[in-house]
Amino acid sequence: MLNRRNFLTAAVGVAAAGGLAACAKEDKGSTGTSSGGSKAITLGFSQVGSESGWRSANTTSVKEAAKEAGYNLKFSDAQQKQENQISAIRSYIAQKVDVIAFSPVVVTGWDAVLKEAKAAKIPVVLTDRSVETSDDSLYVTLVGSDFTDEGRRAGKILEKVLAKAGVKGPVKIAQLEGTTGAAPAIERAKGFKEVMDADHKGDWKIVVSQTGDFTRAGGKQVMAAFLQSNPDINVLFAHNDDMAIGAIQSIEAAGKKPGKDILIVSIDGVKDGFIAMSEGKINAIVECNPLLGPQLMEVVKTVHDGGSVERWIKTKEGDFMQDQAKAALPTRKY
């Protein structure tokens, strides 16, 4: 079943094996007109970087969808640095683009630049990842997955993996976290822990947890350290496929069999992840669809035209409540 934080559809499912998923580099884009002959919408988009196969697919989706929609896309690669992303957004404000979209490197630290965009009356759309702000009116909506639910799904699918493998007794889990401070890292860990605390307090334990920064190199390096400090690990929960693939190299180098000696559950569903799963090296993957481009372009058109879109606002309790946001109204209140 599809689960979107802003009800803009993209798949969030479960895939599994054996019956069980410096300076920012800026592309100025090209000018043109929309298919209807009117002036093309100019969209400034700042991407996190290219740390994983998921991110590369997401970038391709955004670029192809913008071209298909006839938008003038100004694209910037933040190279995993928040300061680069803030600089790119300020550049888009100075260029007076019609809409700004970005996938934030981390959750916090955006209020100042978002206030600048609001003062310039340029609507901002978040993609993939959420932010925490002092004022919910600083952005219009989020096109992205429910990362907490992905973490819960990972916990639930691990139950099936353990049952299939016939594992009984204590489960010692290593967790490869995503980039520190990033929404998917925070929320996937939260969702997984919810399942642990609710159903497995007595038999599951995360014995070691560290960021691998969503990269294969990070996953490989951190997993090697995990195996030295905790050689009796029997489960790995990786926040994305790329870290799991890197970890597999270290597991094999230690003379262990990934998918057997150490059961592996990850999140994303990139091609190389599915290959590793078909080889029995990853036991299960929770899918997170990167193809957000078409949905993003629909939202961009809606906010550019002053229409309303569905959004979620986070409450003090950490839950989300639905509301309507109307773009190009920077003084609106919630």
Side-chain angles (χ1 to χ4, degrees):
M1 183 142 184
L2 301 184
N3 191 330
R4 303 289 296 171
R5 237 184 339 233
N6 62 344
F7 296 147
L8 297 170
T9 57
V12 179
V14 176
L20 291 184
C23 293
K25 298 183 290 184
E26 186 170 346
D27 179 355
K28 297 296 184 180
S30 57
T31 58
T33 58
S34 67
S35 57
S38 59
K39 183 180 177 182
I41 294 171
T42 297
L43 169 64
F45 181 81
S46 177
Q47 181 62 281
V48 171
S50 54
E51 78 284 357
S52 64
W54 191 100
R55 190 64 54 191
S56 298
N58 179 246
T59 293
T60 298
S61 177
V62 169
K63 288 184 174 180
E64 289 180 350
K67 183 177 180 180
E68 178 69 21
Y71 296 172
N72 175 23
L73 178 67
K74 296 180 180 294
F75 182 89
S76 178
D77 179 346
Q79 301 176 356
Q80 287 81 44
K81 295 182 179 179
Q82 184 179 32
E83 60 268 30
N84 289 348
Q85 213 157 35
I86 290 172
S87 177
I89 293 169
R90 287 186 169 139
S91 173
Y92 297 150
I93 294 169
Q95 294 175 63
K96 299 180 179 179
V97 301
D98 296 308
V99 180
I100 293 171
F102 74 108
S103 182
V105 176
V106 292
V107 170
T108 59
W110 302 103
D111 277 31
V113 72
L114 291 179
K115 286 177 181 177
E116 292 170 27
K118 179 177 179 178
K121 298 186 179 181
I122 300 174
V124 175
V125 177
L126 305 180
T127 70
D128 178 40
R129 300 178 176 186
S130 62
V131 299
E132 292 179 1
T133 66
S134 60
D135 179 358
D136 287 321
S137 73
L138 295 179
Y139 67 94
V140 180
T141 193
L142 163 67
V143 181
S145 301
D146 186 332
F147 297 131
T148 303
D149 190 58
E150 290 172 357
R152 294 188 195 105
R153 289 169 181 257
K156 290 298 184 181
I157 203 69
L158 177 56
E159 293 174 338
K160 296 181 181 180
V161 168
L162 291 168
K164 182 177 175 63
V167 174
K168 297 179 181 179
V171 176
K172 296 184 177 181
I173 303 170
Q175 180 174 231
L176 277 170
E177 305 168 22
T179 303
T180 301
I186 295 168
E187 295 171 22
R188 286 170 180 169
K190 175 186 173 184
F192 188 82
K193 190 173 185 300
E194 283 180 10
V195 174
M196 281 185 55
D197 290 348
D199 303 322
H200 299 284
K201 275 191 174 180
D203 56 333
W204 290 15
K205 183 179 180 181
I206 295 178
V207 296
V208 62
S209 183
Q210 186 177 322
T211 179
D213 211 25
F214 283 128
T215 67
R216 294 191 189 191
K220 179 179 180 180
Q221 180 180 355
V222 175
M223 191 65 197
F226 284 173
L227 290 168
Q228 287 194 354
S229 62
N230 294 272
D232 55 349
I233 292 166
N234 57 357
V235 168
L236 170 65
F237 169 43
H239 286 187
N240 78 340
D241 290 346
D242 281 79
M243 290 191 295
I245 292 166
I248 286 169
Q249 298 177 46
S250 291
I251 293 169
E252 291 177 330
K256 296 178 180 289
K257 293 183 178 181
K260 292 185 179 180
D261 297 327
I262 298 179
L263 304 174
I264 300 175
V265 172
S266 66
I267 299 175
D268 270 356
V270 300
K271 179 181 178 181
D272 287 352
F274 279 107
I275 291 173
M277 196 162 60
S278 70
E279 295 171 343
K281 296 180 180 182
I282 293 179
N283 301 87
I285 297 173
V286 176
E287 184 187 9
C288 179
N289 196 325
L291 306 181
L292 303 178
Q295 294 93 330
L296 173 60
M297 299 313 146
E298 290 176 13
V299 171
V300 166
K301 185 178 189 310
T302 299
V303 300
H304 176 262
D305 294 345
S308 296
V309 294
E310 290 175 327
R311 68 176 275 156
W312 286 81
I313 295 176
K314 201 168 189 176
T315 68
K316 290 181 180 179
E317 292 75 25
D319 298 322
F320 286 87
M321 60 182 290
Q322 186 185 355
D323 200 354
Q324 290 285 324
K326 189 174 177 64
L329 292 178
T331 58
R332 59 180 162 70
K333 296 184 184 298
Y334 291 89

